[in-house]
Amino acid sequence: MIEFVAPPASAIATRPGTDLIRVDHLTKDYGRGRGLFDVTFQVKRGEVMGIVGTNGAGKTTTMRHLMGFLKPDSGTARIGALDARLDAAELKRHIGYVPGEIDFPDVGTGTSFLRLQAAMAGLDHLDYMNQLIDRFKIDITAPLRRMSKGMKQKMGIVAGLMAKPQILLLDEPSTGLDPLMRDTLVEAIEEAKAGGATVLMSSHVFKELEDTCDTVLFLQAGRVVSAASRSMFEANPREMFAIRFADDADYRRFIAEPHRVVGPDRTVGADPVTHTVTAYLPEGRINEFFSDLQGYRVASIQNPRFTLEQFFTKVLSPQVLGDTTTPAAAPGPRQSAKAAA
């Protein structure tokens, strides 16, 4: 069941810029390396934080602890002054939750479900709900059981957002959405942030988090391996270039020979079929880069955008972690941010 917001309460009231969500040394061990292990992070009021990781990284387990569905083995999860487990009933009145797996009650049509949820939320005006239904292009007269996965996902999103809650917990909310509907979701999250909401969302799609989040937390095998803020990403500008060489000989020679700027640590991709090398440059090294290209026959050069995913895999991971296969030795998210700045 998806829960909604009530009028603000002092128990979760904090000043803008102060921590609203606090997870401290949270551990839930399912055995065989599965679960969460000593996870610590904070989300400030009005901030959008993303959690990224592969399946099994611990994203859903984190969300379920914040909803009070799980009891941790150790550590705490708090929202405002309330404990996520002990005060779960109170907290659910202030949270809009979109679960990773949506299972509707047997109430017939989408219309019946949304009316029920609106009544539970105490909504007197349904204007924003109707706007969301229109924007996500949902046929709410359809029976819930016959809806496609994508349509059910959109219903869950509308139910989670329609009361304009103070806090949004979104567990992979774009699952099953086509690209246009993903854009609509991003717009809705940005609207929630503009209205003062605090958002924690998980995803395995870097682009989605890059478009919406102030900070992105990276989970691997249940541990925090690093965190990157938007200011970190924007303060470390990189130029990306895709160089297509005229033939195979120049392509292979470029890869084999040493260069001042482009080396294995800065190579994002190499395609022997198209004879293309894609690499990133630190700011201010472009003249050296073009000097390195002298003596090679180049067919074309393109300048694609340097992404958050590439920033993490090529810049942040080597600087902060050294080796991403040993996340237990990684520093906490705020320490990581300082180390990579």
Side-chain angles (χ1 to χ4, degrees):
M1 190 66 68
I2 300 172
E3 306 289 347
F4 301 95
V5 67
S10 59
I12 64 167
T14 61
R15 296 186 304 276
T18 59
D19 295 336
L20 178 60
I21 298 173
R22 292 189 60 90
V23 174
D24 292 306
H25 305 289
L26 191 67
T27 296
K28 182 71 172 181
D29 190 351
Y30 292 117
R32 298 185 179 182
R34 297 177 299 115
L36 293 177
F37 306 98
D38 199 32
V39 169
T40 294
F41 66 88
Q42 302 83 38
V43 186
K44 295 184 182 300
R45 173 171 288 281
E47 181 180 18
V48 180
M49 175 178 277
I51 303 177
V52 69
T54 59
N55 291 337
K59 303 185 298 295
T60 294
T61 303
T62 301
M63 293 290 188
R64 288 177 176 172
H65 274 92
L66 286 167
M67 284 298 296
F69 298 152
L70 298 175
K71 181 180 180 180
D73 295 337
S74 62
T76 59
R78 303 185 68 83
I79 299 178
L82 302 180
D83 182 280
R85 174 72 176 174
L86 300 178
D87 302 306
E90 170 64 18
L91 281 172
K92 286 184 176 69
R93 298 173 58 242
H94 307 280
I95 296 173
Y97 175 54
V98 178
E101 295 182 8
I102 294 176
D103 187 16
F104 293 110
D106 187 11
V107 294
T109 65
T111 302
S112 300
F113 170 72
L114 290 177
R115 283 178 177 170
L116 174 64
Q117 298 303 298
M120 290 174 59
L123 290 181
D124 295 324
H125 302 285
L126 303 180
D127 292 347
Y128 188 58
M129 181 190 79
N130 291 326
Q131 289 179 30
L132 291 171
I133 291 169
D134 183 59
R135 289 163 63 181
F136 281 99
K137 303 185 186 310
I138 305 173
D139 178 9
I140 60 173
T141 64
L144 290 169
R145 293 186 178 276
R146 295 184 183 178
M147 287 185 177
S148 66
K149 179 177 177 59
M151 194 63 69
K152 288 179 179 179
Q153 189 69 24
K154 292 190 286 186
M155 284 285 295
I157 291 168
V158 170
L161 299 183
M162 68 184 191
K164 297 185 177 181
Q166 283 181 266
I167 302 163
L168 286 172
L169 301 180
L170 311 177
D171 192 1
E172 303 212 13
S174 67
T175 299
L177 300 185
D178 62 42
L180 288 177
M181 290 296 100
R182 283 192 182 124
D183 290 343
T184 301
L185 172 64
V186 168
E187 291 173 0
I189 293 171
E190 290 174 342
E191 288 173 3
K193 180 184 178 182
T198 302
V199 183
L200 181 65
M201 62 181 291
S202 67
S203 180
H204 59 274
V205 181
F206 273 88
K207 179 64 167 64
E208 185 173 284
L209 300 181
E210 183 179 336
D211 288 341
T212 55
C213 295
D214 302 298
T215 305
V216 177
L217 192 76
F218 303 93
L219 284 184
Q220 179 177 299
R223 299 181 188 272
V224 176
V225 297
S226 191
S229 66
R230 181 175 294 276
S231 60
M232 286 171 57
F233 178 52
E234 294 175 350
N236 286 270
R238 299 292 195 278
E239 287 284 346
M240 182 83 76
F241 289 94
I243 311 106
R244 184 168 64 87
F245 293 93
D247 56 31
D248 186 65
D250 279 277
Y251 165 78
R252 294 187 180 279
R253 185 162 61 89
F254 183 85
I255 290 179
E257 294 177 347
H259 305 284
R260 290 176 296 174
V261 180
V262 177
D265 60 328
R266 294 197 179 113
T267 300
V268 176
D271 185 349
V273 176
T274 61
H275 308 141
T276 301
V277 174
T278 303
Y280 73 89
L281 313 178
E283 189 178 29
R285 303 292 297 277
I286 191 168
N287 289 333
E288 293 175 79
F289 166 66
F290 281 110
S291 178
D292 283 344
L293 288 178
Q294 292 183 8
Y296 299 93
R297 290 181 297 165
V298 175
S300 66
I301 299 177
Q302 294 183 332
N303 185 210
R305 189 175 61 87
F306 191 66
T307 67
L308 176 65
E309 181 174 9
Q310 290 158 347
F311 175 69
F312 174 66
T313 57
K314 287 296 182 178
V315 179
L316 196 61
S317 294
Q319 288 183 7
V320 177
L321 307 178
D323 180 0
T324 56
T325 62
T326 56
R334 292 200 168 171
Q335 294 156 321
S336 297
K338 292 177 181 178

